Amino acid sequence: MQRKQNTEKAGYPVEDRVELEGIQGAQSDVIRKTANTDIAIGVKPERSLLDMILNVDNMFNASERVISNKGASGIDGMTVGELNKYLIKNYLELCASIRGGWYKPKAVKRVEIPKSDGGIRLLGVPTVIDRMVQQAMVQVLQPIFEQTFSDNSYGFRPKRNAHQAIQRAKKYYEEGYRYVVDLDLEKYFDTVNHDLLIKMVRETIRDESVIALIRKFLKSGVMIEGLVSQTEQGTPQGGLCSTIHNPPYAQ
């Protein structure tokens, strides 16, 4: 049985059509940077960030990425194997619901992962559809935020890894440094203030339709033992918009 993602306006006559113009390679980065700069200074760009997210090529790449990751089902039970069938029937309506503002992400499914110190890491499994939308957002927003990160940061970033961090540490040691400071904010992701987070995101992203979409994912809630609880703080670790892109349950 097809499990349809709730867009809150079933049967909506889809008049809007996603642009078919592809965004490829280096041109993609240039267009993304230019559009975001225009939005930041108050100039209306030819294509908004939301247009780039919903671009048919970007969405297709996002769906392929979600399918290849072979992740677990969310609370609606839809599997990655059902994604293509869903998109054939509902792709245009899904995009229209996001553009129209009535797209509503489903609550994430709570998963508890044991930590090496005996504690528990709380992860959230979004639905397959929500994961695809998040992946489409990441593909457009990540190159923009990459420009703001420190060159000394290696965690959960494209083309960066722990081996490079070790090489940087080795270089510091060879330069004579002998002390390492290890800091960790306890339950940081579980206690993030949504308003402060959105305020900081707005310093880089000025497209309010994208801001609203990000807030919806923050507020989507969590299902624990069949009951949905609202999320007033924190970010669901395990989603594609969080820093943990490949949690253990995705394998």
Side-chain angles (χ1 to χ4, degrees), residues 110 115 121-123 155-156 184-194 197 218 231-239 241-244:
R110 172 64 76 221
K115 298 171 65 174
R121 185 185 301 280
L122 300 178
L123 301 182
F156 306 104
D184 186 18
L185 299 179
E186 184 178 5
K187 296 183 178 180
Y188 171 73
F189 290 103
D190 298 332
T191 58
V192 170
N193 183 291
H194 290 173
L197 177 60
L218 290 174
T231 46
E232 301 300 330
Q233 65 177 4
T235 62
Q237 297 183 67
C241 288
S242 76
T243 58
I244 300 179

Side-chain angles (χ1 to χ4, degrees), residues 167-178:
Q167 289 299 318
R168 179 65 66 91
K170 179 175 179 292
K171 178 176 179 293
Y172 288 149
Y173 180 81
E174 292 171 348
E175 291 175 354
Y177 294 94
R178 293 294 181 269

Side-chain angles (χ1 to χ4, degrees), residues 61-72 80 131 135 139 238 240 245-251:
N61 290 336
S63 67
E64 289 292 292
R65 182 68 178 271
V66 169
I67 292 172
S68 66
N69 283 341
K70 301 179 180 179
V80 293
R131 291 210 296 272
Q135 178 64 38
Q139 289 169 181
L240 291 164
H245 290 188
N246 294 296
Y249 62 79
Q251 304 304 320

Side-chain angles (χ1 to χ4, degrees), residues 147-160:
Q147 303 171 63
T148 70
F149 294 155
S150 169
D151 185 52
N152 296 311
S153 172
Y154 290 92
F156 306 104
R157 295 177 61 187
K159 299 181 181 180
R160 287 174 176 255

Side-chain angles (χ1 to χ4, degrees), residues 44-67:
K44 185 177 180 181
E46 294 183 5
R47 307 183 71 208
S48 69
L49 290 180
L50 187 62
D51 288 333
M52 296 181 200
I53 291 171
L54 297 181
N55 173 273
V56 66
D57 288 336
N58 188 58
M59 292 286 277
F60 174 80
N61 290 336
S63 67
E64 289 292 292
R65 182 68 178 271
V66 169
I67 292 172

Side-chain angles (χ1 to χ4, degrees), residues 5-6 103-107 130 213 216-217 220:
Q5 179 84 354
N6 179 24
Y103 171 80
K104 184 178 180 180
K106 291 185 180 296
D130 290 338
L213 191 55
K216 284 184 178 182
F217 280 112
S220 62

